[in-house]
Amino acid sequence: MKGVVTSISGATVCVDLRGLQLYDRVYVGHARLSGEVVHLEKQRTTVQVFEDTHGLSVGEPAEGTRAPLTVALGPGLLGGIYDGLQRSLPGLQEQSGAFIRTTRPLPSIDLEKRWEFIPSKRVGDAIVKGEVYGSVREGHLAHPLYATLTGELVKVAAGDVCLAEPLLTLKGGEQQYGWQDWPVRRPRSGGQKRPAERPLITGQRCIDFLFPLLKGGVAIIPGGFGTGKTVLEQTIAKFADTDVVVYVGCGERGNEMAGLLSEFRELQDADGRPLLERTIIVANTSNMPVAARESSIFTAVTMAEYYRDMGYDVLFLADSLSRWAEALREISSSLEEIPGEEGYPTYLGSRLASFIERAGVVETASGKSGSLSMILAVSPPGADFSEPVTQACLRSAGAFYLLDTSLAHSRHFPAINWTQSYSLFAERGSAFFRQQVAESWPQLQRRCREILQQEEALREVVEVVGMEGLQDRDRLLMHAAERVRRDFLCQNSFSADAYATPQQTLERISAIVERYDQALQQLDAGTLLSEILKGQDDAAG
Amino acid sequence: MRLAEHCYRSISSIRGPLVFVEKVFAARIGETVTLRAPDGTLLEGEVLKIDGQEVLVQVFGETSGLDLEKTSVTFHDAVKRAPLSRDCLGRIFNGAFEPLDGLPMFIPQRWEAVSGAPINPVAREYPREMIETGFSAIDGLNTLIKGQKLPIFSCAGLPAQQLVARILAQARLSGEGEFIVVFVALGLSYHEFSFFEQTLQQMPSRFVAFFNLAGEPVVERLLAPRLGLTVAEDLAFNHQMDVLVIVSDMTNYCDALREISTSREELPGRRGYPGYMYSDLASLYERAGRLRDRPGSVTMLPVLTMPEDDITHPIPDLTGYITEGQIVLSREMQQKGLFPPIDVLPCLSRLMQHGIGEGQTRGDHRQLANLLYQRYAKGRELRKLAAVVGEEGLLEEDQQILAFADRFEQRFVHQGEERRDIYASLDLGIELLKEFGMELS
Ligand SMILES: Nc1ncnc2c1ncn2[C@@H]1O[C@H](COP(=O)(O)OP(=O)(O)OP(=O)(O)O)[C@@H](O)[C@H]1O
Ligand SMILES: [Mg+2]
């Protein structure tokens, strides 16, 4: 379908094409910039363009495709680095150098790459859409291939194949390829949803011990600038015990992505493979086009769902969801829609909720259980958590890790505020750890919380009378609380302490609590406070 | 394709810096235009929006002499570009790239679009080498790294300009390479202008400067930083130089952005600033960086004034969300007579971690910085407490820390006219700690 551009304002372009549907992909201009339909009226069709429109003129051609924005799904996504439209960034670099300029179309998956294909069907067999017909080995994973067609097989490939060739031929001539396109805005429903049960071990003591996350659950990390959202997300991306990690840099910094890349290339997982091989990175930095930023989280979550549907545990991390919401706001206001709170469109909440709904545990047709967990950073303006994006996320998320500016200023990292954060998964999580790690887990958790709460109360007293004015017992408690904060909750991501197993977490907290109990006993037995404290410090090293 | 210039005399309305032109054939977004006023004055502009044959043009320069009948508008069929050459070194220009130093314009070797193109994240090299500013509070505790964007947050009335002038004159690479400063001044008073002009005159010609004065067109305030960055990218990536871009004052930039947005009748966001201010600022700040397998770097040091001293105001807030840390000046430190009046507690250099230590600055740098920061932070907390309960209410060891905090401000942060290299800064830190019996382990 062909037409012309009739008006342009920034990345919002009107074309005279008729009969398109919302979200259909449109190419505009001689340079064939890609965009999608965001608004339909009798007289005109409005397109949001994913690329820089500088130099575009009215009267240039426009072409509608009658198909929405899709991503390619198939073997070879792992280790990939994409922009918000799933264009390979290394591929773009080859094409246009260090700076991103308008480009020719670029395949998202390497169709020439060779794979060892092991079919599970033979000529004469029948396949049904959704059924597994074979697999390839992708890095550390067996990558099952699902049929998108139904029929009887007349030809089956085996062994050395590439994705450009069909793997199966059906009676009647239809051909089954090893990859497929999927519309990014449509959730993949790969089976029956199940409740989340197993914890996702992040390696962060504060999270695993106090506010655990379950596989299939959603956590949000709101915090002002410099409070440690990115460092926390990247640290978890390194150590989380999932099969696949999808990391989206959504409207954030280029240097951060460069740091992540160089680290993930070098670092190895437990089996000695580069971390990058289990990771998919989507990077649409703040200076890249806004519409592609909006689509980036959908592009990424669709790839995440793809691996979840094979029965794998997938962790999706986005930094930052606020930048996505702002992109939505920019697009909405360029369409002159009626704004809601803080200028965000009124559909912000429902859009977010349906996005977050894409997380969860599913049971696949073959009886495996796959999960998609999300950890989403949120950047509230002025670190004011009452703003619409934080609030909208809160309604759907199961865990809330609030990063505190004053903790960050005192270099307490991760700056998770222990009084305001929470996890709705806490009970399930601690039941699991109690079973798997130690009977004492829940009880120690309670002690830890108590110590922190009592300290909070005592702090108010100290502000009036000073430390000198406290009773000995209270001084001991303050001392223990400091240990909990400094030696347990703090965890420097740039040291060997960046990751702790649940076992190590337990040992550390129980040592602190034990020492505190001993100190209380010594005090009751009449030992001088100064001596006890000295002994404690020596013991702690 | 037009591939030709078109001239029109069909302006339908003029609103501040915005001009609507009718019956235009095939204008392009971002295309440059020239307006000729009835008195012959020439103004430049850029196409912002096209609706059929109606075109919205944003004018760089003073629009008060324009009229509807006689003013002509020429469309050039090209986007706004900056002239580039090594010969721009040592020169001073205004916000429209016209020489202010009385010398003739240089002959451009090439032209580049001022809006720049985003660096592909996979083409970036992670920044790891320091730039020495000569100030202990920055070099020692919040090290500036080549390829970083590190803003200075100031308050009205604090000597930010003096600090900038000092950094202009005394910043240095710690390694090898050709070092250049691109200085972009936005909305300067005449007084400030002559102050900076003097500073530059005393420098060897390792600079390029763009000055936009307070009385000059608002739109040029949006253009000047882009000119500066386009020049910086050229010097860095085509001429292998390490370029430090200082932009002062970004608050004037943001106010210009707001003014234009209001005259376009766009929906205002927080405090009247447009909703796209984050993306707009990012399109400047993100141009800092380094490229893999290529020498040269662009480092940015934007300076801004926090309205009402409020760090949560959209200007510092959005800046902080994009940049890699911040240097914060405070009234309290100014009142104590410190120069630079840096409050190190809210300061941060996020790229410091990988740019210091053995082989880069010195083996003890990281540990020293951590210890100084930690002790000082504790001292500041105790200072608050002491204000309520009195110093007597503090434990003896806490009184020590309190004294350390005072000394740290007076000796380490304060340095007046002195320039300290990184080793002097580190040695001073160690000396201070020793004085209070706190040692590096
Ligand atoms: N877990 C940690 N261990 C050690 N240092 C940390 C940790 N978390 C944060 N930091 C320090 O804080 C700085 C800021 O952290 P980070 O970049 O993650 O903030 P952010 O919340 O993502 O900010 P923004 O919203 O501006 O992106 C880091 O550069 C680092 O110096
Ligand atoms: Mg961040």
Side-chain angles (χ1 to χ4, degrees):
Chain A
M1 197 191 310
K2 304 230 155 126
V4 294
V5 173
T6 58
S7 80
I8 315 163
S9 172
T12 309
V13 172
C14 293
V15 297
D16 65 355
L17 297 167
R18 300 269 184 288
L20 290 176
Q21 294 182 356
L22 214 52
Y23 295 126
D24 275 357
R25 205 157 181 180
V26 175
Y27 295 97
V28 300
H30 297 298
R32 287 181 64 78
L33 308 174
S34 74
E36 66 181 357
V37 175
V38 285
H39 207 115
L40 284 168
E41 275 172 58
K42 276 234 172 64
Q43 304 311 324
R44 55 163 148 208
T45 301
T46 311
V47 175
Q48 191 68 33
V49 177
F50 295 123
E51 295 168 72
D52 186 8
T53 54
H54 269 86
L56 184 65
S57 164
V58 291
E60 286 194 38
E63 186 187 330
T65 62
R66 297 225 175 187
L69 177 66
T70 56
V71 292
L73 300 175
L77 292 174
L78 294 182
I81 304 158
Y82 302 101
D83 76 351
L85 303 176
Q86 208 202 19
R87 294 187 299 193
S88 154
L89 287 172
L92 277 180
Q93 188 186 10
E94 253 169 55
Q95 225 181 63
S96 72
F99 293 86
I100 299 179
R101 304 214 149 84
T102 320
T103 48
R104 286 171 278 122
L106 203 71
S108 304
I109 311 189
D110 184 353
L111 297 180
E112 305 304 322
K113 184 171 171 172
R114 310 306 300 186
W115 299 92
E116 188 64 21
F117 172 54
I118 306 166
S120 57
K121 296 277 178 186
R122 275 182 293 186
V123 173
D125 286 354
I127 53 159
V128 182
K129 187 176 166 186
E131 199 184 350
V132 175
Y133 62 85
S135 70
V136 298
R137 180 114 212 128
E138 184 181 12
H140 63 306
L141 301 180
H143 186 128
L145 296 168
Y146 293 84
T148 54
L149 303 170
T150 299
E152 196 189 315
L153 301 178
V154 296
K155 203 172 151 200
V156 177
D160 187 35
V161 299
C162 75
L163 296 176
E165 303 155 1
L167 298 178
L168 310 175
T169 308
L170 276 65
K171 203 169 178 174
E174 276 188 293
Q175 295 182 316
Q176 174 73 54
Y177 286 84
W179 64 283
Q180 55 177 304
D181 280 323
W182 188 272
V184 295
R185 296 183 194 277
R186 186 179 343 136
R188 290 172 60 83
S189 46
Q192 191 62 40
K193 279 230 172 192
R194 294 266 177 257
E197 274 168 348
R198 296 160 300 141
L200 189 153
I201 295 165
T202 62
Q204 296 292 309
R205 287 188 288 268
C206 182
I207 294 179
D208 293 342
F209 189 67
L210 291 180
F211 311 108
L213 175 64
L214 296 186
K215 292 206 168 94
V218 177
I220 63 167
I221 310 181
F225 65 76
T227 51
K229 298 179 292 297
T230 306
V231 173
L232 188 57
E233 292 240 338
Q234 296 194 351
T235 311
I236 296 176
K238 274 180 216 161
F239 298 114
D241 66 334
T242 58
D243 303 304
V244 173
V245 170
V246 178
Y247 188 98
V248 197
C250 174
E252 293 283 318
R253 304 171 180 86
N255 280 335
E256 275 170 6
M257 297 314 300
L260 179 83
L261 281 173
S262 76
E263 251 193 315
F264 275 46
R265 281 201 189 96
E266 281 160 30
L267 289 179
Q268 298 181 338
D269 67 5
D271 302 324
R273 291 175 203 279
L275 270 183
L276 206 53
E277 284 184 15
R278 70 158 197 179
T279 313
I280 301 173
I281 294 178
V282 175
N284 211 95
T285 54
S286 55
N287 54 342
M288 286 159 74
V290 168
R293 189 201 299 169
E294 196 279 328
S295 68
S296 66
I297 64 167
F298 296 101
T299 297
V301 80
T302 308
M303 292 190 274
E305 283 174 334
Y306 177 64
Y307 284 94
R308 175 204 61 190
D309 291 351
M310 298 173 200
Y312 291 116
D313 290 320
V314 183
L315 172 60
F316 173 97
L317 301 128
D319 183 17
S320 140
L321 216 58
S322 298
R323 305 300 165 223
W324 168 80
E326 285 165 6
L328 198 68
R329 176 171 70 186
E330 277 184 43
I331 295 168
S332 160
S333 83
S334 71
L335 297 176
E336 298 179 353
E337 293 175 337
I338 296 169
E341 214 183 331
E342 300 264 352
Y344 288 105
T346 45
Y347 49 79
L348 170 73
S350 57
R351 202 55 81 86
L352 250 178
S354 63
F355 170 74
I356 290 181
E357 254 320 282
R358 294 175 78 163
V361 179
V362 295
E363 194 181 305
T364 64
S366 48
K368 280 200 208 161
S369 151
S371 68
L372 171 50
S373 321
M374 292 184 177
I375 302 183
L376 310 169
V378 177
S379 321
D384 172 3
F385 299 104
S386 64
E387 57 94 37
V389 183
T390 314
Q391 290 304 315
C393 286
L394 263 183
R395 284 195 285 277
S396 313
F400 175 65
Y401 308 139
L402 185 148
L403 301 189
D404 191 317
T405 307
S406 60
L407 285 178
H409 279 179
S410 63
R411 303 281 206 263
H412 172 115
F413 290 118
I416 299 173
N417 177 307
W418 51 88
T419 48
Q420 281 165 279
S421 301
Y422 62 77
S423 166
L424 301 179
F425 311 117
E427 220 161 294
R428 266 220 166 271
S430 73
F432 178 94
F433 287 121
R434 175 179 180 179
Q435 221 173 33
Q436 301 287 323
V437 184
E439 194 54 31
S440 57
W441 188 283
Q443 185 205 340
L444 279 167
Q445 209 183 45
R446 205 167 345 102
R447 289 293 308 276
C448 174
R449 288 223 162 88
E450 273 167 18
I451 292 174
L452 292 169
Q453 273 158 13
Q454 287 168 355
E455 183 198 30
E456 190 87 4
L458 282 176
R459 256 172 197 262
E460 284 167 26
V461 180
V462 172
E463 264 160 40
V464 183
V465 299
M467 269 298 237
E468 283 289 4
L470 285 190
Q471 299 192 338
D472 287 355
R473 275 192 93 79
D474 292 342
R475 294 259 314 262
L476 271 188
L477 181 107
M478 294 295 277
H479 192 263
E482 182 165 340
R483 279 260 112 77
V484 171
R485 284 188 284 111
R486 280 240 306 265
D487 299 341
F488 184 72
L489 297 179
C490 279
Q491 208 170 337
N492 189 328
S493 288
F494 305 103
S495 70
D497 192 31
Y499 173 80
T501 63
Q503 187 62 42
Q504 290 166 332
T505 296
L506 183 97
E507 282 162 13
R508 205 179 266 225
I509 189 70
S510 70
I512 293 172
V513 171
E514 248 166 56
R515 239 180 277 133
Y516 172 50
D517 286 342
Q518 272 169 16
L520 284 174
Q521 280 169 11
Q522 287 172 327
L523 192 69
D524 288 341
T527 319
L528 276 178
L529 179 71
S530 53
E531 259 168 59
I532 301 177
L533 288 180
K534 188 165 176 309
Q536 292 258 311
D537 286 337
D538 291 347
Chain B
M1 268 311 166
R2 289 189 355 243
L3 299 174
E5 295 191 349
H6 281 224
C7 186
Y8 299 89
R9 214 173 243 131
S10 50
I11 296 182
S12 63
S13 74
I14 302 173
R15 199 196 296 151
L18 302 178
V19 170
F20 289 85
V21 193
E22 290 175 333
K23 305 197 196 84
V24 179
F25 173 68
R28 297 175 182 286
I29 284 289
E31 179 172 359
T32 51
V33 302
T34 310
L35 297 96
R36 176 186 280 272
D39 66 359
T41 316
L42 292 179
L43 291 173
E44 258 203 75
E46 182 182 331
V47 174
L48 280 189
K49 187 172 162 179
I50 312 165
D51 194 353
Q53 296 197 314
E54 195 190 33
V55 172
L56 170 62
V57 171
Q58 165 172 303
V59 181
F60 306 116
E62 189 47 65
T63 50
S64 60
L66 302 182
D67 72 349
L68 299 185
E69 291 76 26
K70 299 206 200 71
T71 303
S72 69
V73 190
T74 308
F75 287 75
H76 297 294
D77 201 30
V79 298
K80 178 81 188 155
R81 294 184 302 166
L84 301 171
S85 162
R86 258 194 90 110
D87 296 338
C88 65
L89 290 183
R91 303 292 308 271
I92 303 180
F93 304 95
N94 69 8
F97 222 137
E98 293 156 353
L100 282 183
D101 48 13
L103 299 170
M105 185 63 187
F106 60 87
I107 298 164
Q109 282 180 330
R110 34 195 262 122
W111 295 78
E112 271 307 334
V114 298
S115 54
I119 301 180
N120 188 327
V122 300
R124 280 184 188 267
E125 175 76 47
Y126 193 78
R128 293 179 193 277
E129 294 156 54
M130 97 169 253
I131 291 178
E132 191 181 87
T133 64
F135 289 103
S136 304
I138 300 178
D139 299 344
L141 295 182
N142 299 286
T143 320
L144 175 65
I145 308 291
K146 244 160 75 173
Q148 183 175 22
K149 38 199 179 293
L150 185 66
I152 296 177
F153 289 2
S154 179
C155 305
L158 297 189
Q161 306 294 14
Q162 280 72 6
L163 180 58
V164 166
R166 289 280 298 279
I167 294 177
L168 259 178
Q170 69 185 28
R172 246 172 247 164
L173 290 182
S174 73
E176 322 215 307
E178 202 175 347
F179 185 63
I180 299 292
V181 188
V182 171
F183 180 52
V184 182
L186 305 172
L188 280 193
S189 66
Y190 187 77
H191 176 73
E192 291 166 321
F193 169 64
S194 37
F195 167 70
F196 279 118
E197 214 184 11
Q198 272 174 20
T199 312
L200 292 176
Q201 269 161 10
Q202 286 154 15
M203 284 171 64
S205 58
R206 316 311 306 160
F207 69 87
V208 185
F210 294 89
F211 284 114
N212 162 272
L213 299 191
E216 288 177 330
V218 176
V219 184
E220 280 181 13
R221 239 156 263 170
L222 303 184
L223 185 60
R226 294 186 164 81
L227 295 176
L229 284 161
T230 309
V231 166
E233 279 170 358
D234 179 55
L235 294 176
F237 303 127
N238 296 324
H239 299 282
Q240 294 84 44
M241 300 181 192
D242 290 302
V243 187
L244 173 64
V245 182
I246 301 181
V247 186
S248 175
D249 179 322
M250 283 302 292
T251 301
N252 293 331
Y253 175 90
C254 294
D255 286 346
L257 199 66
R258 175 169 68 177
E259 200 176 320
I260 307 259
S261 165
T262 314
S263 51
R264 286 185 72 177
E265 296 181 344
E266 287 168 338
L267 189 76
R270 278 170 75 215
R271 306 247 188 153
Y273 294 93
Y276 51 78
M277 192 155 90
Y278 174 83
S279 301
D280 187 278
L281 287 174
S283 75
L284 298 179
Y285 297 148
E286 274 293 317
R287 290 173 80 168
R290 304 190 51 188
L291 300 180
R292 281 171 83 177
D293 311 318
R294 241 206 261 189
S297 63
V298 175
T299 309
M300 257 189 111
L301 202 83
V303 181
L304 59 85
T305 306
M306 298 182 278
E308 295 146 39
D309 300 5
D310 179 8
I311 198 166
T312 68
H313 183 282
I315 298 175
D317 193 49
L318 293 180
T319 297
Y321 268 126
I322 303 165
T323 54
E324 286 135 351
Q326 65 279 336
I327 304 291
V328 184
L329 307 188
S330 98
R331 245 175 240 295
E332 191 188 333
M333 300 300 146
Q334 159 84 348
Q335 275 151 10
K336 289 189 175 165
L338 308 186
F339 183 86
I342 295 177
D343 179 356
V344 298
L345 289 194
C347 291
L348 177 68
S349 163
R350 303 191 195 194
L351 301 186
M352 172 175 176
Q353 289 286 347
H354 301 279
I356 60 169
E358 190 72 56
Q360 276 141 320
T361 52
R362 212 166 74 184
D364 57 356
H365 190 163
R366 186 167 300 122
Q367 210 193 352
L368 176 67
N370 286 344
L371 191 58
L372 284 173
Y373 185 91
Q374 201 196 66
R375 301 283 86 182
Y376 177 64
K378 177 103 195 185
R380 284 280 292 272
E381 210 175 286
L382 291 167
R383 196 183 279 165
K384 261 190 280 173
L385 191 59
V388 184
V389 301
E391 268 191 47
E392 322 76 61
L394 299 183
L395 303 176
E396 200 176 311
E397 63 207 70
D398 288 351
Q399 293 178 8
Q400 271 292 96
I401 297 177
L402 192 60
F404 167 79
D406 290 332
R407 194 97 172 105
F408 171 83
E409 287 170 359
Q410 295 300 338
R411 294 269 286 122
F412 194 82
V413 177
H414 176 69
Q415 58 188 88
E417 293 297 310
E418 187 188 351
R419 183 190 194 284
R420 289 187 204 134
D421 68 19
I422 178 67
Y423 304 107
S425 291
L426 295 179
D427 288 343
L428 180 60
I430 291 181
E431 195 184 305
L432 270 178
L433 286 173
K434 270 210 189 109
E435 206 179 303
F436 288 82
M438 310 168 185
E439 306 232 351
L440 289 184
S441 51

